[in-house]
């Protein structure tokens, strides 16, 4: 610890001993939490979700279906610890930059220690780790030294310390405690005013695979009331909840002028059990393991299986459409006779291309299981299932690092971060927990690449399209046998360019229902979410990543981060305060790095995360000398499985581009692709 921090610690310890009798901060904090609980109960009883739009309801309902992985899913011990930390900072006049000093205080009341013990007890999940060949569904025991690392319901981590307004939990407020409204930023910078620009280097499958991959890695849970009650942060006739951070709308707003407020619920606090700043929580296992197909617990996984002993996943056969996922028992769709689907991730029904990937990987599991069963008739259903899950997860890792990331990041970044290395070793010192910046800002770059329409191409060459805004949570095209049409169209449809503009389908119509004229505004939600998480400004991530200082807006152009006009627009929007520029906004405004689809800072931040997801995952398919490692022959077979192979194996498509995510790639008959070699799995 530095001398300056030690001195602060010494002074605080002396001051606290004398201050304890004067300020009973624990008592005050407990009273705050009691009021907090009373408000929760009042809102639950009153039904606080009235007057929510259908799109706002859909956004929160995804959160309702998260299984409660911790006994303290609704516990208030972490919020009590936050209240104590805030009380201390306020009454002892501690600078928010010195919040971490609170964790090192030698003196502390026994009462606070007991609260911390209760929090630790609430979040504890005993784990009996074995060095198994197969992953645990919840991600536990990947790191045998730290069994909870990368597990469901664990905290994100920070590259930079957070910038909360009060140092503990209040959303970031800027250098002068005033930030421009998130909606105004979207209107001025991100709202589409012309036709989308496209890139000819990748197609829409690349964009959609990115979302499929993201849903394998993370879901950050919103705060929620009990009894499935949704939280309305815009009601004028009810108290504003502490976990509300609503977006104010101006009367001249071109899209939402009929409203004065957009609902925004803050993300849940992760139980760190510390006296310090708030962290947020990942409800999914963070490794690339195809959890969006298989589920995140033994119970969910079992509910998705075909239990006839063949090791396959359960499906429902539909005439003219083939095998589709089971109907969802939780999600009530708005299309009678066409139920929504059930998969390992509850977001499966969000949009057509995302559902397409879910169906393909579901069928791919069963395709692989049938081949392994023929090779090893002595295997029981459980063995077939686990070996197949291991194989499919490895194929997804291979597609991510051999097809998706090289197109996204370019060869220079792939080499710099060793993402292209083959014969690798696991590093137990690395953490699998995701970075907060990654899930809240940098990997949301893909929102800029979402199109307003999905092209379709029938087998006889007829071109059509679906409007994205009309197909949220709409499974009907799959029951009508349009899966292949969507895949053919997507291989030919150029992906929207990564830039600062976001398509109207998600900037105005996100989750819009048939009865609404407008939906949600995704870029505005992203900006607000970054402030909710206390993400420091864009400038600080640039300096951390590139090791040079950004002192004013001219530097953004001088160092090649963005063009001069964009930098000037940012300067006006943020009132000449370079420190205030939000990370998501800055990343979207960057000029592309050479041979990359994203800008220089975004590329490095994304690559850093995928480096740790590779080398910090004990089960990564290229690693050697681990219990779960594949043989050299098996690795060679996995390296020959590409997205084009999976498309041909799981659909009625007869021709496909060799590189499925590249629109200019040669089209060949599926019969010309090298068949998947399963022989090295024969016992």
């Amino acid at each position: 610890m530095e001398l300056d921090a030690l001195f602060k610690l010494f002074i605080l310890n002396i001051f606290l001993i004398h201050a304890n009798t004067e300020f009973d901060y624990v008592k005050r904090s407990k009273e705050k939490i009691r009021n907090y609980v009373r408000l929760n109960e009042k809102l639950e009883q009153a039904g606080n979700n009235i007057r929510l739009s259908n799109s706002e309801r859909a956004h929160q309902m995804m959160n309702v279906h998260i299984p409660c992985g911790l006994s303290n899913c609704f516990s208030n011990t972490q919020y009590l610890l936050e209240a104590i930390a805030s009380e201390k900072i306020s009454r002892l006049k501690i600078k928010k930059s010195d919040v971490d000093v609170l964790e090192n205080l030698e003196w502390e009341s026994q009462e606070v220690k007991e609260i911390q013990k209760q929090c630790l007890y609430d979040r504890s999940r005993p784990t009996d780790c074995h060095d198994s060949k197969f992953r645990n569904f919840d991600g536990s025991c990947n790191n045998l030294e730290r069994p909870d690392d990368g597990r469901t319901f664990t905290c994100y981590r920070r590259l930079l310390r957070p910038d909360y307004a009060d140092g503990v939990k209040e959303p970031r407020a800027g250098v002068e405690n005033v930030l421009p409204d998130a909606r105004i930023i979207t209107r001025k910078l991100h709202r589409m005013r012309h036709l989308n620009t496209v890139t000819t280097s990748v197609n829409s499958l690349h964009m959609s695979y990115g979302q499929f991959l993201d849903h394998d890695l993370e879901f950050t849970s919103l705060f929620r009331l009990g009894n499935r009650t949704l939280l309305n942060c815009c009601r004028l006739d009810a108290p504003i909840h502490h976990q509300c951070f609503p977006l104010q709308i101006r009367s001249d707003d071109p899209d939402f002028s009929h409203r004065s407020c957009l609902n925004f619920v803050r993300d849940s606090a992760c139980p760190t059990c510390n006296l310090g700043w708030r962290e947020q929580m990942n409800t999914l296992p963070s490794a690339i393991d195809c959890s969006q197909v298989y589920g995140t617990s033994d119970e969910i996984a079992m509910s998705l299986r075909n239990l006839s002993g063949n090791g396959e996943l359960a499906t429902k056969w539909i005439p003219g459409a083939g095998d589709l996922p089971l109907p969802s028992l939780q999600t009530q769709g708005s299309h009678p006779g066409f139920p929504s689907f059930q998969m390992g991730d509850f977001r499966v029904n969000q949009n057509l291309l995302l559902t397409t990937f879910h169906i393909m990987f579901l069928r791919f599991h069963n395709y692989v299981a049938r081949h392994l069963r023929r090779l090893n008739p002595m295997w029981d259903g459980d063995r077939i299932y686990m070996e197949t899950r291991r194989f499919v997860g490895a194929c997804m890792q291979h597609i991510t690092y051999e097809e998706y990331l090289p197109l996204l990041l370019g060869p220079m970044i792939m080499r710099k971060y060793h993402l292209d290395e083959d014969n690798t070793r696991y590093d137990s010192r690395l953490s699998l927990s995701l970075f907060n910046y990654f899930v809240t800002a940098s990997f949301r770059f893909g929102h800029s690449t979402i199109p307003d329409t999905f092209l379709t191409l029938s087998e006889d060459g007829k071109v059509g399209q679906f409007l994205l805004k009309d197909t949220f949570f709409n499974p009907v095209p799959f029951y009508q046998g349009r899966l292949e049409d969507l895949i053919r169209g997507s291989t030919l449809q150029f992906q929207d360019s990564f830039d600062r503009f976001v398509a109207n389908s998600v900037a105005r119509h996100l989750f819009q229902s048939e009865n609404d004229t407008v939906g949600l505004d995704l870029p505005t939600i992203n900006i607000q979410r970054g402030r909710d998480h206390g993400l420091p400004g864009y400038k600080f991530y640039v300096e951390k990543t590139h090791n040079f200082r950004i002192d004013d807006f001219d530097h953004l152009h001088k160092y090649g981060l963005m063009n001069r006009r964009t930098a000037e627009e940012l300067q006006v929007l943020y009132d000449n305060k370079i420190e205030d520029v939000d990370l998501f906004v800055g990343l979207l405004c960057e000029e592309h790095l050479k041979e990359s689809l994203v800008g220089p800072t975004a590329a490095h931040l994304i690559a850093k995360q995928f480096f740790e997801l590779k080398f910090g995952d004990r089960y990564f398919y290229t690693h050697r000398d681990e219990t779960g490692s594949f043989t050299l022959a098996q690795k060679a077979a996995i390296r020959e499985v590409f997205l084009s192979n999976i498309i041909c194996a799981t659909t009625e498509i007869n021709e496909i581009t060799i590189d499925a995510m590249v629109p200019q790639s040669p089209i060949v008959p599926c019969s010309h692709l090298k068949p998947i070699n399963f022989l090295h799995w024969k016992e």
Side-chain angles (χ1 to χ4, degrees):
M1 188 180 293
E2 296 180 0
L3 287 176
D4 184 49
L6 283 171
F7 177 73
K8 291 175 183 174
L9 188 60
F10 173 72
I11 296 298
L12 276 171
N13 272 290
I14 293 175
F15 184 48
L16 278 170
I17 292 173
H18 296 289
N20 185 43
T21 55
E22 185 176 352
F23 301 123
D24 191 353
Y25 52 87
V26 175
K27 181 178 178 181
R28 292 175 182 271
S29 300
K30 283 187 172 181
E31 182 57 33
K32 287 182 181 179
I33 295 301
R34 278 193 289 269
N35 292 334
Y36 177 80
V37 171
R38 291 189 198 105
L39 176 58
N40 287 353
E41 293 172 348
K42 180 179 178 181
L43 294 176
E44 289 165 15
Q45 292 169 3
N48 189 251
N49 56 345
I50 60 173
R51 302 194 190 98
L52 284 176
S53 69
N54 290 329
S55 53
E56 290 171 331
R57 192 180 299 272
H59 188 219
Q60 283 195 65
M61 283 301 293
M62 287 187 293
N63 184 71
V64 169
H65 298 305
I66 299 170
C68 208
L70 296 171
S71 61
N72 78 329
C73 201
F74 301 106
S75 171
N76 291 303
T77 52
Q78 180 61 39
Y79 294 111
L80 176 56
L81 289 168
E82 286 183 356
I84 292 172
S86 294
E87 191 76 18
K88 276 190 171 186
I89 289 170
S90 173
R91 298 191 173 279
L92 302 178
K93 300 188 182 335
I94 301 172
K95 293 181 180 179
K96 68 176 185 178
S97 58
D98 296 330
V99 171
D100 49 349
V101 174
L102 292 176
E103 284 304 309
N104 299 306
L105 290 175
E106 296 176 8
W107 175 88
E108 190 53 88
S109 73
Q110 186 61 36
E111 195 168 6
V112 171
K113 291 179 181 178
E114 291 300 320
I115 295 169
Q116 290 177 306
K117 286 180 183 178
Q118 179 61 43
C119 179
L120 289 166
Y121 174 78
D122 286 346
R123 79 170 191 180
S124 63
R125 290 179 286 172
T127 304
D128 184 16
C129 287
H130 304 281
D131 191 6
S132 172
K133 177 181 180 181
F134 305 110
R135 297 176 183 271
N136 290 342
F137 286 99
D138 69 352
S140 61
C141 301
N142 192 311
N143 189 314
L144 296 173
E145 299 167 16
R146 303 187 304 276
D148 286 339
D149 187 59
R151 190 180 188 180
T152 55
F153 297 96
T154 51
C155 303
Y156 297 123
R157 56 199 171 109
R158 302 276 181 173
L159 181 65
L160 300 174
R161 59 178 297 147
D163 181 15
Y164 288 113
D166 65 343
V168 177
K169 58 183 174 57
E170 295 302 320
R172 185 173 81 99
V175 292
E176 293 182 4
N177 293 320
V178 178
L179 287 172
D181 289 344
R183 174 61 187 165
I184 295 296
I185 296 172
T186 293
R187 287 175 55 184
K188 300 294 185 182
L189 278 179
H190 304 311
R191 191 168 181 265
M192 191 70 68
R193 300 183 183 87
H194 50 74
L195 292 176
N196 301 10
T197 58
V198 297
T199 174
T200 59
S201 60
V202 294
N203 58 31
S204 289
L205 282 181
H206 185 272
M207 174 278 300
S208 191
Y209 182 83
Q211 185 182 24
F212 184 68
L213 171 62
D214 177 78
H215 288 192
D216 184 25
L217 299 175
E218 61 88 17
F219 183 80
T220 311
S221 173
L222 299 178
F223 173 85
R224 63 184 182 185
L225 297 168
N227 303 323
R228 297 166 67 95
T229 300
L230 307 184
L231 194 56
N232 188 342
C233 298
C234 293
R235 288 186 62 179
L236 299 177
D237 58 345
I240 295 296
H241 195 278
H242 304 285
Q243 302 306 327
C244 280
F245 187 27
L247 293 146
Q248 302 306 313
I249 303 299
R250 291 174 31 163
S251 59
D252 63 347
D253 193 289
D255 302 319
F256 300 99
S257 58
H258 62 294
R259 309 188 59 183
S260 61
C261 169
L262 292 182
N263 199 47
F264 187 95
V265 181
R266 298 191 66 187
D267 280 332
S268 299
C270 185
T272 63
C273 303
N274 295 328
L275 285 181
W277 55 66
R278 174 178 293 191
E279 297 292 3
Q280 288 75 30
M281 176 169 52
N282 190 4
T283 64
L284 304 184
S286 52
I288 301 173
D289 60 356
C290 246
S291 65
Q292 75 277 48
V293 174
Y294 296 106
T296 58
S297 70
D298 293 351
E299 294 75 19
I300 296 173
M302 189 61 69
S303 72
L304 297 170
R305 286 180 58 176
N306 179 334
L307 300 180
S308 63
N310 59 11
E312 296 184 17
L313 292 170
T315 60
K316 183 173 182 178
W317 188 81
I318 303 295
D323 286 331
L324 295 178
L326 293 177
S328 174
L329 301 177
Q330 289 185 316
T331 305
Q332 294 183 354
S334 57
H335 304 277
F338 302 98
S340 298
F341 298 128
Q342 178 184 0
M343 287 289 287
D345 187 88
F346 47 86
R347 294 167 287 183
V348 53
N349 302 287
Q350 264 191 14
N351 67 70
L352 295 179
L353 283 189
L354 176 62
T355 308
T356 294
F357 272 99
H358 274 277
I359 294 172
M360 286 196 296
F361 272 78
L362 164 69
R363 292 178 178 180
F364 187 55
H365 173 97
N366 291 348
Y367 174 86
V368 174
R370 287 191 289 271
H371 280 80
L372 295 184
R373 188 167 66 249
R374 282 196 289 268
L375 277 176
N376 300 288
M378 78 293 292
W379 284 2
D380 63 16
D382 287 343
R383 178 72 186 279
I384 296 168
Y385 172 84
M386 294 303 289
E387 292 284 0
T388 301
R389 174 175 169 253
R390 179 170 173 254
F391 182 95
V392 173
C395 290
M396 185 172 180
Q397 291 177 340
H398 174 66
I399 291 168
T400 299
Y401 284 79
E402 293 296 321
E403 294 189 79
Y404 177 75
L405 287 176
L407 293 169
L408 174 65
L409 301 175
M412 181 186 73
I413 297 293
M414 291 292 292
R415 286 193 301 271
K416 178 179 175 64
Y417 286 89
H418 309 285
L419 302 181
D420 56 351
E421 289 187 8
D422 249 354
N423 190 20
T424 56
R425 284 190 181 276
Y426 164 62
D427 187 347
S428 63
R429 296 169 297 178
L430 297 175
S431 174
L432 259 184
S433 298
L434 300 181
F435 286 108
N436 206 313
Y437 75 75
F438 177 79
V439 301
T440 315
S442 65
F443 209 54
R444 298 193 181 205
F445 81 91
H447 295 167
S448 167
T449 66
I450 298 172
D452 280 317
T453 60
F454 291 146
L455 290 186
T456 62
L457 179 65
S458 65
E459 191 172 14
D460 59 3
K462 292 180 180 177
V463 178
Q465 67 178 27
F466 287 107
L467 294 177
L468 175 56
K469 72 181 184 68
D470 295 335
T471 56
F472 291 117
F473 308 108
N474 181 1
V476 174
F478 300 104
Y479 288 99
Q480 296 174 336
R482 303 296 304 277
L483 174 70
E484 285 78 8
D485 294 355
L486 277 161
I487 295 171
R488 291 190 200 95
S490 298
T491 59
L492 301 178
Q493 181 178 3
F494 296 146
Q495 178 181 284
D496 278 26
S497 295
F498 170 77
D499 52 33
R500 63 184 171 102
F501 299 107
V502 180
N504 288 329
S505 56
V506 291
R508 290 183 60 197
H509 303 293
L510 180 68
F511 302 154
Q512 181 177 318
S513 71
E514 294 178 356
N515 300 322
D516 292 329
T517 58
V518 72
L520 300 179
D521 172 1
L522 186 55
T524 297
I525 290 172
N526 290 343
I527 297 166
Q528 197 81 335
R529 189 67 64 199
R531 296 172 181 182
D532 170 25
H533 285 218
L535 289 186
Y538 167 73
K539 152 190 161 72
F540 303 102
Y541 286 93
V542 170
E543 293 175 347
K544 177 72 173 179
T545 301
H546 303 296
N547 201 28
F548 54 70
R549 284 185 59 82
I550 298 291
D551 294 321
D552 54 49
F553 286 87
D554 287 339
H555 285 171
L556 300 178
H557 174 67
K558 175 183 176 182
Y559 292 117
L561 296 169
M562 56 187 71
N563 64 53
R564 187 180 298 279
R565 178 183 173 184
T566 300
E568 290 172 350
E569 289 186 56
L570 284 175
Q571 186 172 8
V572 172
L573 264 176
Y574 285 91
D575 196 23
N576 205 34
K577 299 180 182 66
I578 187 66
E579 299 88 350
D580 283 357
V581 177
D582 296 278
L583 178 59
F584 174 77
V585 175
L587 294 179
L588 250 62
C589 288
E590 288 190 335
E591 295 283 278
H592 292 193
L593 190 64
K594 184 180 179 181
E595 297 184 283
S596 170
L597 297 178
V598 295
T601 311
H604 284 279
L605 290 176
I606 292 169
K608 178 175 178 58
Q609 181 66 81
F610 279 100
F611 168 81
E612 305 216 0
L613 284 171
K614 178 174 184 173
F615 291 95
D617 179 4
R618 187 162 59 94
Y619 291 98
F620 198 84
Y621 83 101
T622 60
H623 292 337
R624 62 183 185 272
D625 302 329
E626 298 294 332
T627 302
S629 295
F630 293 95
T631 67
L632 289 175
Q634 288 172 339
K635 289 179 187 177
I638 291 167
R639 291 190 188 104
E640 295 176 349
V641 181
F642 294 92
L643 183 56
S644 55
N645 298 95
I646 293 178
I647 291 172
C648 287
T650 60
T651 71
E652 297 298 319
I653 286 177
N654 298 314
E655 294 182 331
I656 191 66
T657 49
I658 295 176
D659 298 314
M661 299 183 192
V662 179
Q664 311 290 3
S665 176
I667 299 175
V668 299
C670 285
S671 59
H672 287 193
L673 296 178
K674 191 171 183 179
I676 300 173
N677 184 1
F678 295 103
L679 292 177
H680 302 294
W681 277 263
K682 181 175 176 58
E683 286 189 351

